[in-house]
């Protein structure tokens, strides 16, 4: 208690300082007068009495300092003193302060922007009631840690678990069609997205429109504590089999599509031809546990009403349904919940060994998305943070160079302080305080700069995505984590880039500085290793960023030029959005397809129209395949299981439309396609895999499994017990642009028995001008049918590796160009300062007969040496980084000579120019003026 009281008194001593100083001065004067009077009474003279009194007190100022230390906080006093002095010094040189703050603000701002995005996507708590008690439940199998649950499994865990007060299910999302919305024209590709190579399929003109609908269990919103903006939320009774079809509209869709009409509640929307009643509206940007805001939320049984899935499929344990999340009961921990679900998982494995034999369950925190990140996502986060850290390194090295130059200008001040007794570490602390103040000012400027940059990025991304994909709603307003991160980065940058200049400045030669021998100090500075290290570090970091961006951009550009093995430039890709769910009769759907093909084929410039169950790019479907009455040459990835192959149902004109030659055998005959005969065309790789060195024609394949296979919810894979190989098609790259499909089979598609959503139209030239006309024909056939269209080659931009490569390359280029700008500014500034400091030396050289060319060569050589060292270090570092990016380069050599040599030469040329410009000024020095220069 006594110690606490002493600390409080010391803390109180920081306030009312002027009054306390007056009282201390009066008290000291009183003691001094008392001693003087005693000495006068002892017979001393007045002067001697005062001298003896001062000696007895030990010095008034020393005594005052002792009292101040006892009643105050000396460290805090010194800190405040350093802060006041630092502020005066920064105000004294506003140009230096502005340049240093703006340079460092750019690096801190970019770092904060990336962390803000990470915080919004991963770290920020979900916008629901008490997010800390939420838990996410995942199904784990060998090779997968964040798997889905079947609806039957979810019901079992919901009804038998006692650890959760409620367990809900987020059951995926899908686009549904509605003809109750106003017709729209085709959406234009945003300029920036188009400029960097992204061309997503867009909705063609038509009456019906796709809108995004997320399906959830009836207890989902009550569990999250959701409050509607209008009407009510979805409730558990909406899950009942006999419940009326209802939907909950998002505030974003209500505002964008219905202009915030309050009469929307109770109105009817026809989705896939079924009437649904709108029961409520959520608040604007309400995400719940989703990644984006959909147009609508619907109960899971609505899938049956929409025709997406049957009741039997919904209850099938092999059909994926969604991801459960629950709210833990009070007092129940994640470990307790995990122990209970382990018991329930064991029970399911015992009861259903076929469906649940390799399954286990994990329970993780659902407070945010942190637990849902997989290693690949962490790799992307690490790459982004490393790139922006390199930019901060470049900016910090620039600031360190400025601090070195400023320390040289303050050499006399530092020498005087050292001469009168200031310790070196006291000076280092003062200089560090100034550098930290610069960094804090930069952080204060970088924080709003980060918000502005991120806002622009989100706006452009949102504009690039089709509206029916949902609305991006990231909360990027600064929170405590963002403030703490910015403060931490600012302080770390201030210390890291201010410490070495402070140590260098505090080693000033007192004698030479006091005699104003500036040139000696300048020569020491120009020859110091520190200057070279700073420049070399900037060059190396900049080169790593630029070479990485060049590799990624060249890799993604190579993807656009890769020959996929089929015609992609003169083919239009058309996809009908969920028309199978319009509740048309099978005969009407098939007639719809035939009418569309006939009308599109009749358009001028269209050569042929083919039909397929999936497009040549994306939409990957796998099916087990194995030779009949023979063991496969290559086993499956899981040992005894048969290998798998990609598959597609195609019409006979598919190969001609895409210019895929049949290298052996023949194509499907029309009667084989119409009857879906047990025949198959395989790829060359499939023939090599199962019958190496043999003729595959006439061989037989077993395709699929008697138990059925599901690539996607509600979709059944094919099963043909024995299918004859009648042809071998040339290998293509449809499942992965980086390599030839390892195995692929083409099955006959009957236009009179099987409906598919994909059409491919072969055109005379670029199909883009024909898309509006195709949209008009679609509308004439059926105004309720939404159709997406795009040139086939643009579908490459949907490839995940292309997206990572392209976005990574663009962002690395932006960061690299900023780094290049800062690095060249640093080179220019340091060489300029070196020339200015060596003016007298240069004058002497020229007075002794040195030619201008010799002086220029000497200055450029000294300035370019650390640049060259940095380029060499950067090339070595880039070689290591490029190996890590090999998977996203689409076959481009990680040591691509064009990227490495081109970027290195470009950086070297720009750095050489930044060195030559100030060096050129050195050749104009007047020797007489230089000899008088201080």
């Amino acid at each position: 208690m006594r110690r606490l009281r002493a600390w409080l008194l010391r803390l109180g001593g920081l306030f009312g300082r002027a009054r306390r100083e007056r009282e201390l001065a009066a008290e000291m004067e009183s003691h001094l007068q008392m001693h003087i009077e005693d000495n006068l009474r002892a017979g001393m003279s007045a002067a001697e009495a005062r001298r003896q009194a001062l000696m007895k007190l030990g010095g008034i100022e020393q005594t005052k300092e002792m009292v101040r230390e006892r009643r105050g906080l000396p460290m805090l006093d010194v800190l405040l003193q350093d802060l006041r002095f630092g502020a005066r010094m920064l105000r004294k040189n506003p140009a230096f302060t502005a340049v240093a703050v703006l340079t460092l603000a750019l690096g801190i701002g970019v770092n904060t922007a990336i962390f803000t995005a990470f915080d919004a996507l991963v770290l920020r708590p979900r916008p629901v009631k008490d997010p800390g008690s939420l838990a996410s439940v995942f199904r784990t199998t060998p090779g997968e840690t964040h798997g889905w649950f079947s609806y039957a499994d979810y019901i079992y865990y919901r009804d038998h678990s006692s650890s959760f007060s409620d367990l809900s299910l987020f059951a995926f999302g899908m686009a549904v069609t509605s003809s109750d919305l106003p017709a729209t024209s085709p959406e234009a590709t945003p300029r920036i997205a188009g400029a960097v190579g992204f061309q997503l399929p867009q909705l063609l003109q038509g009456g019906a429109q796709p809108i995004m609908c997320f399906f959830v269990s009836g207890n989902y919103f009550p569990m999250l504590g959701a409050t509607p903006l209008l009407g009510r939320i979805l409730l558990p009774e909406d899950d009942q089999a006999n419940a009326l079809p209802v939907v909950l509209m998002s505030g974003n869709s209500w505002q964008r599509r219905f202009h915030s009409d309050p009469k929307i509640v109770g109105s009817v929307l026809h989705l896939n031809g079924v009437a649904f009643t709108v029961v409520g509206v959520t608040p604007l940007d309400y995400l719940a546990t989703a990644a984006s805001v959909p147009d609508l939320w619907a109960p899971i049984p609505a899938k049956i009403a929409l025709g997406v899935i049957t009741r039997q499929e919904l209850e099938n344990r092999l059909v994926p349904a969604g991801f459960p999340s629950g709210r833990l009961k009070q007092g129940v921990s994640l470990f307790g919940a995990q122990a209970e679900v382990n018991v329930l998982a064991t029970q399911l494995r015992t009861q259903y060994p076929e469906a649940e034999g390799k399954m286990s369950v994990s329970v993780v925190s659902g407070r945010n998305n942190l637990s849902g990140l997989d290693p690949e996502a962490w790799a992307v986060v690490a790459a982004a943070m490393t790139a922006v850290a390199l930019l901060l390194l470049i900016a910090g090295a620039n600031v360190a160079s400025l601090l070195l130059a400023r320390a040289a200008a303050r050499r006399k001040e530092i020498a005087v302080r050292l001469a009168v007794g200031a310790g070196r570490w006291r000076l280092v602390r003062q200089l560090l305080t100034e550098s930290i103040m610069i960094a804090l000012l930069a952080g204060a400027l970088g924080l709003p700069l980060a918000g502005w940059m991120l806002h622009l990025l989100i706006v452009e991304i949102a504009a690039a995505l089709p509206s029916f994909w949902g609305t991006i709603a990231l909360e990027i307003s600064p929170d405590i984590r963002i403030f703490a991160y910015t403060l931490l980065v600012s302080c770390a940058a201030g210390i890291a880039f201010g410490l070495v200049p402070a140590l260098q400045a505090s080693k000033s030669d007192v004698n030479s500085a006091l005699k104003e021998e500036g040139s000696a100090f300048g020569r020491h500075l120009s020859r110091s290793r520190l200057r070279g290290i700073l420049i070399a570090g900037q060059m190396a970091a900049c080169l790593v960023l630029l070479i990485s961006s060049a590799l990624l951009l060249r890799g993604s550009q190579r993807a656009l030029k890769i020959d996929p093995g089929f015609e992609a430039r003169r083919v239009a890709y058309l996809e009908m959005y969920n028309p199978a769910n319009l509740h048309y009769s099978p005969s009407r759907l098939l007639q719809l397809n035939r009418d569309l093909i006939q009308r599109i084929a009749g358009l001028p410039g269209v050569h042929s129209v083919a039909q397929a169950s999936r497009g040549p790019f994306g939409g990957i479907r796998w099916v087990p395949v194995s030779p009949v009455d023979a063991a496969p040459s290559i086993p499956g990835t899981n040992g005894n299981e048969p290998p798998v192959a990609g598959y597609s149902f195609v019409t006979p004109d598919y190969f001609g439309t895409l210019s895929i030659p049949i290298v052996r055998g023949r194509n499907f005959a029309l009667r084989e396609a119409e009857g879906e005969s047990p025949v198959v065309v395989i790829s060359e790789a499939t023939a090599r895999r199962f019958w190496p060195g043999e003729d595959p024609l006439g061989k037989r394949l077993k395709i699929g499994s008697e138990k059925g296979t599901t690539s996607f919810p509600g979709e059944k894979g094919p099963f043909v017990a024995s299918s004859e190989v009648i042809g071998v098609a040339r290998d293509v790259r449809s499942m992965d642009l980086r390599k030839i499909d390892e195995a692929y089979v083409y099955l006959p598609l009957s236009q009179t028995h099987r409906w598919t959503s994909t059409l491919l139209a072969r055109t005379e030239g670029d199909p883009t001008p024909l898309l509006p006309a195709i949209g008009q024909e679609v509308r004439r056939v059926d105004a309720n049918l939404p159709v997406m269209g795009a040139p086939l080659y643009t579908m490459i931009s949907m490839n995940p590796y292309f997206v990572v490569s392209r976005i990574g390359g663009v962002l690395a280029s932006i960061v690299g160009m900023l780094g290049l700008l800062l690095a060249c500014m640093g080179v220019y500034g340091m060489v300029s300062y070196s020339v200015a400091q060596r003016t007298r030396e240069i004058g002497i050289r020229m007075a002794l007969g040195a030619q201008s060319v010799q002086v220029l060569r000497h200055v450029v050589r000294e300035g370019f040496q650390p640049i060259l060292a940095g380029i060499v270090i950067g090339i070595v570092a880039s070689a290591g980084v490029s190996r890590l990016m090999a998977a996203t380069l689409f076959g481009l050599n990680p040591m691509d000579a064009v990227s490495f040599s081109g970027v290195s030469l470009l950086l070297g040329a720009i750095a050489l120019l930044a060195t030559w410009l100030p060096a050129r000024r050195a050749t104009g020095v007047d020797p007489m003026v230089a000899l008088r220069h201080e």
Side-chain angles (χ1 to χ4, degrees), residues 402-743:
L402 291 173
L403 290 173
L404 275 174
R406 186 165 179 262
R410 296 173 61 184
R411 62 190 180 275
K412 189 169 184 178
E413 169 207 332
I414 293 172
V416 169
R417 298 180 68 179
L418 289 171
V420 297
R424 184 187 179 193
W425 293 110
R426 179 69 183 85
L427 286 177
V428 169
R429 186 168 62 187
Q430 171 62 54
L431 296 173
L432 268 182
T433 301
E434 294 178 21
S435 64
I436 292 175
M437 289 178 68
I438 292 173
L440 290 176
L441 290 173
L445 181 60
L447 187 61
L449 178 64
W452 176 76
M453 290 189 294
L454 198 57
H455 175 73
L456 289 182
L457 182 62
I458 292 173
V459 168
E460 180 57 33
I461 292 176
L465 299 179
S467 59
F468 61 88
W469 281 16
T471 303
I472 297 177
L474 288 182
E475 180 57 58
I476 60 173
S477 59
D479 58 11
I480 186 63
R481 287 178 299 277
I482 296 173
F483 280 116
Y485 179 82
T486 306
L487 179 63
L488 177 63
V489 170
S490 301
C491 292
I495 295 173
F497 304 118
L499 180 59
V500 175
L503 292 174
Q504 184 84 0
S506 62
K507 292 194 300 184
S508 176
D509 185 343
V510 176
N511 290 329
S512 62
L514 291 177
K515 295 175 183 177
E516 297 187 352
E517 294 179 1
S519 58
F521 189 90
R523 286 195 301 271
H524 174 72
L525 178 64
S526 67
R527 296 169 183 171
S528 69
R529 295 181 179 179
L530 179 58
R531 171 179 169 269
I533 291 173
L534 290 173
I535 294 178
Q538 292 182 71
M539 291 294 108
C542 186
L543 194 64
V544 170
L545 287 172
L546 291 175
I547 288 180
S548 299
S549 67
L551 287 171
L552 290 171
L553 290 177
R554 280 178 52 78
S556 59
Q557 192 64 27
R558 188 175 188 274
L560 296 175
K561 297 180 180 179
I562 285 178
D563 179 12
F566 52 84
E567 177 59 57
R569 291 283 169 182
R570 295 182 294 168
V571 176
Y573 170 81
L574 306 173
E575 182 179 356
M576 291 164 276
Y577 243 87
N578 299 316
N581 304 325
L582 292 174
H583 297 277
Y584 292 165
S585 64
S587 60
R588 183 177 178 184
L589 278 175
L590 294 170
Q591 185 61 45
L592 179 67
N593 253 359
R594 290 193 293 270
D595 292 344
L596 279 174
I597 292 173
Q598 182 180 357
R599 283 187 170 273
I600 295 172
L603 289 172
V606 177
H607 288 177
S608 63
V609 180
Q611 190 176 351
S613 60
R614 59 170 289 268
F617 293 123
I620 297 173
R621 303 293 192 270
W622 298 97
V623 66
V625 292
S626 59
V628 176
D629 300 329
S633 301
I634 300 177
T637 55
N638 294 326
N640 296 326
E641 296 183 6
V644 294
Y647 75 92
S648 181
F649 288 93
V650 301
T651 53
D653 51 2
Y654 177 87
F655 300 99
T657 299
L658 293 182
S659 298
I660 302 176
I662 304 295
V663 296
R664 301 188 67 177
R666 62 177 176 85
N667 191 1
F668 302 119
L670 185 60
R671 56 180 175 77
E672 290 173 329
E674 287 303 316
E676 294 194 350
S677 302
V679 293
V680 63
V681 174
I682 65 175
S683 67
E684 294 174 295
T686 308
R688 291 192 299 269
R689 183 175 191 181
F690 293 123
W691 301 285
E694 300 181 34
D695 184 1
L697 299 181
K699 305 289 187 180
R700 306 194 75 85
L701 274 178
K702 177 184 178 182
I703 302 173
S705 170
E706 296 89 338
K707 302 173 185 176
T709 57
T710 55
S711 298
F712 289 87
E715 178 182 293
K716 291 181 179 179
F719 172 66
V720 184
S722 179
S723 187
E724 180 186 356
V725 177
I726 63 170
V728 178
R730 188 178 66 185
D731 284 331
V732 298
R733 302 169 184 258
S734 66
M735 294 185 289
D736 190 340
L737 281 172
R738 299 171 299 169
K739 60 183 180 180
I740 294 293
D741 295 343
E742 295 180 355

Side-chain angles (χ1 to χ4, degrees), residues 209-238:
Q209 298 180 44
I211 53 179
M212 182 56 65
C213 181
F214 286 173
F215 298 92
V216 296
S217 59
N219 61 345
Y220 179 79
F221 288 105
M223 182 200 74
L224 297 178
T227 303
L229 187 64
L230 293 175
R232 68 172 178 87
I233 57 177
L234 298 179
L235 299 172
E237 48 264 33
D238 295 321

Side-chain angles (χ1 to χ4, degrees), residues 263-419:
K263 297 180 181 179
I264 192 66
V265 176
S267 63
V268 174
L269 280 180
H270 289 85
L271 307 176
N272 293 353
V274 179
F276 280 76
T277 302
V278 179
V279 296
V281 178
T282 68
L284 195 68
D285 292 340
Y286 184 73
L287 285 167
T289 62
S292 61
V293 180
D295 293 300
L296 301 171
W297 302 82
I300 292 174
K303 285 188 172 185
I304 301 174
L306 291 168
V308 177
I309 197 172
T310 65
R311 172 66 64 178
Q312 291 74 21
E313 289 171 334
L314 182 64
E315 295 173 354
N316 188 340
R317 294 187 181 275
L318 295 176
V319 176
F323 297 96
S325 59
R327 191 174 293 280
L328 295 171
K329 289 182 178 179
Q330 190 171 4
V332 178
S333 66
L334 288 172
F335 297 103
Q338 180 68 65
E340 185 191 32
V341 298
N342 286 342
V343 174
L344 297 178
T346 302
Q347 295 173 0
L348 283 177
R349 285 195 297 269
T350 303
Q351 296 178 36
Y352 308 98
E354 186 175 334
E356 313 286 354
K358 299 179 181 179
M359 177 272 300
S360 58
V361 177
S362 65
V363 181
V364 298
S365 172
R367 182 176 183 271
N368 50 32
N369 291 318
L370 186 61
S371 58
L373 287 187
D374 55 24
E376 291 183 356
W378 278 115
V380 173
V381 172
M385 295 304 293
T386 301
V388 296
L390 289 176
L391 179 63
L392 181 60
L393 174 65
I394 296 171
N398 250 335
V399 173
S401 299
L402 291 173
L403 290 173
L404 275 174
R406 186 165 179 262
R410 296 173 61 184
R411 62 190 180 275
K412 189 169 184 178
E413 169 207 332
I414 293 172
V416 169
R417 298 180 68 179
L418 289 171

Side-chain angles (χ1 to χ4, degrees), residues 131-207:
S133 64
L134 289 181
S136 298
V137 186
F138 294 105
R139 174 190 174 107
T140 61
T141 54
E144 185 175 19
T145 58
H146 297 89
W148 46 263
F149 274 62
S150 67
Y151 190 69
D153 283 351
Y154 156 69
I155 295 296
Y156 185 85
Y157 284 98
R158 184 196 68 183
D159 294 343
H160 292 82
S161 173
S162 60
S163 298
F164 300 97
S165 59
D166 220 339
L167 190 67
S168 65
L169 185 69
F170 178 81
F172 306 123
M174 61 170 291
V176 296
T177 59
S178 175
S179 56
D180 298 333
L181 305 176
T184 60
S185 299
E187 300 174 348
T189 301
R191 288 180 302 173
I192 298 180
V196 298
F198 289 103
Q199 299 183 46
L200 302 181
Q202 298 296 329
L203 180 67
L204 302 182
Q205 290 178 340

